[in-house]
Amino acid sequence: MQLRPIKSFAQHFTNAPVRETELVQLGPGDINLKDCWIYGENSFVNTASSEARSSWTVLGRQDLMALILPLSWDGDYRVNGWYSDPGDVYLLDGEYEYCNVGQDRKVLFIAFERRRMTREVASLSRRTYDELPKGHSKFQIGLAAAENLSKIAGRAFQNASPLDQGGRRFGISRGVESEFFAQIAQWILSLNLLSDCTHVLDKAAFKNVRLARGAITRIPADQLTISTLCRVAGVGRSQLHENFVEIFGESPWQYILKRRLTSVREHLLDVVSTPRSVKDTALMHGFFSGGHFAKEYQSMFGELPSETLKKTLTEKSQL
């Protein structure tokens, strides 16, 4: 299984069963996204890596659940504000969004249809399960169990067939997927994951940040204020500041700035709907001073926005 480079976060989630996604690059440098996917009828497996510190916020499909196993990272790795240690794994509920923050990260993501996995677990345990647990959960399973989960995913990759020529997307047969479900269910039962966990939806900081992020998305850039975010989240300025630092390691305004910069870059990298000019794209994202915007952009991404657009246009002309 070899990870392949991709140009943008949007490309990473092409054909993925998600409702909403958002990338915010939080630290300077090249994010250098790479990934590899397996698709089944009721499941998918993804291994992804990135370099520059960034936050990935994802709202999955409601009928899915997923195991996320952080494989390696530099510094700290957080999921909904919870710090991870080697040997930690998360069981995520597609009903709710999750946010992970890290640098030089590599992560294994295994998603499956909730009802089918519930049936599989019930069959193996010979007990009746109405449904797998609701919400996101964190488990401290240890390095050996984490390695076993990686091996299950590795075997799925070994039995997969290419779906494209780029070596990024693979498919598995129904028979392979059935065996995959059985192995994951057995792994879950062997660790007693359905009764021994820490729920990671409980942080007040994450709830407040989620409300504030919704306002950041809805309110035009020239009308957005910290006072508005505080009112929406129902907290004061100092509390909102602490909450953003706890989840992202950034103040609210720094997060907003870097969110806008990342969104501009994603647009400038889009070879399908390439923007007409840097100026129009910057204005659309709330940057009204061209000189200040270009300086901030270059500081974050290591090149001028005009250079990014030029590269995209060159690539587009060669398609």
Side-chain angles (χ1 to χ4, degrees):
M1 175 185 58
Q2 183 176 355
L3 303 189
R4 303 293 183 178
I6 52 176
K7 285 184 62 64
S8 69
F9 197 60
Q11 184 183 2
H12 172 63
F13 279 104
T14 301
N15 299 319
V18 293
R19 290 175 283 165
E20 296 177 18
T21 63
E22 179 181 80
L23 167 73
V24 178
Q25 184 167 327
L26 302 173
D30 186 357
I31 196 164
N32 195 22
L33 289 167
K34 296 180 181 179
D35 69 7
C36 189
W37 292 82
I38 289 180
Y39 297 92
E41 188 174 306
N42 301 116
S43 63
F44 69 88
V45 181
N46 166 244
T47 303
S49 67
S50 61
E51 293 183 3
R53 185 173 178 82
S54 59
S55 70
W56 299 24
T57 303
V58 180
L59 181 61
R61 208 172 71 195
Q62 292 167 301
D63 62 329
L64 295 179
M65 296 193 75
L67 290 162
I68 181 168
L69 174 64
L71 299 172
S72 61
W73 63 91
D74 182 34
D76 60 77
Y77 182 83
R78 314 180 195 185
V79 176
N80 291 7
W82 292 86
Y83 285 77
S84 299
D85 292 314
D88 286 351
V89 68
Y90 298 84
L91 180 62
L92 305 178
D93 186 340
E95 182 75 25
Y96 309 98
E97 73 176 18
Y98 70 91
C99 173
N100 59 80
V101 177
Q103 177 178 332
D104 291 328
R105 72 177 92 180
K106 184 177 181 182
V107 178
L108 173 64
F109 190 88
I110 301 173
F112 42 81
E113 200 267 332
R114 174 194 288 272
R115 290 183 181 178
R116 180 167 177 182
M117 185 58 73
T118 299
R119 293 195 302 268
E120 195 70 44
V121 168
S123 174
L124 289 173
S125 66
R126 297 182 181 179
R127 295 170 56 188
T128 299
Y129 287 93
D130 293 330
E131 200 169 21
L132 294 179
K134 290 283 190 178
H136 302 327
S137 304
K138 176 185 178 182
F139 307 92
Q140 297 174 314
I141 61 173
L143 295 176
E147 179 64 22
N148 287 337
L149 182 61
S150 294
K151 288 180 179 179
I152 292 173
R155 287 193 290 271
F157 273 102
Q158 291 174 0
N159 291 297
S161 302
L163 296 178
D164 61 20
Q165 296 181 347
R168 283 187 57 234
R169 299 172 62 244
F170 297 83
I172 51 176
S173 66
R174 289 184 177 181
V176 171
E177 186 178 39
S178 293
E179 179 62 23
F180 178 66
F181 264 89
Q183 291 175 358
I184 294 294
Q186 185 60 57
W187 182 87
I188 290 173
L189 288 169
S190 71
L191 295 169
N192 200 28
L193 295 193
L194 301 183
S195 58
D196 184 17
C197 67
T198 299
H199 293 287
V200 296
L201 278 174
D202 298 335
K203 272 188 177 287
F206 183 69
K207 295 177 182 178
N208 296 337
V209 164
R210 185 173 67 242
L211 292 171
R213 281 187 59 256
I216 293 169
T217 301
R218 295 190 307 270
I219 299 173
D222 59 345
Q223 299 176 25
L224 187 64
T225 66
I226 295 298
S227 295
T228 301
L229 298 184
C230 290
R231 185 170 63 254
V232 169
V235 297
R237 284 176 174 266
S238 60
Q239 185 66 58
L240 187 70
H241 179 92
E242 291 175 7
N243 291 163
F244 267 80
V245 171
E246 184 174 351
I247 301 302
F248 299 114
E250 305 283 343
S251 71
W253 269 129
Q254 281 297 306
Y255 174 83
I256 291 168
L257 170 64
K258 293 174 180 181
R259 179 182 184 273
R260 291 173 180 172
L261 287 170
T262 305
S263 185
V264 169
R265 184 166 180 81
E266 287 280 304
H267 277 82
L268 295 179
L269 289 170
D270 190 345
V271 295
V272 177
S273 302
T274 311
R276 297 176 60 184
S277 71
V278 169
K279 181 180 178 180
D280 290 346
T281 307
L283 288 172
M284 184 175 64
H285 289 83
F287 292 104
F288 304 110
S289 169
H292 176 71
F293 160 68
K295 181 179 179 180
E296 292 284 358
Y297 186 98
Q298 186 175 33
S299 176
M300 178 65 75
F301 305 116
E303 64 183 10
L304 292 169
S306 57
E307 294 174 318
T308 305
L309 181 57
K310 183 178 179 180
K311 292 177 182 178
T312 301
L313 291 171
T314 299
E315 180 182 349
K316 188 172 185 176
S317 68
Q318 296 172 350
L319 294 178

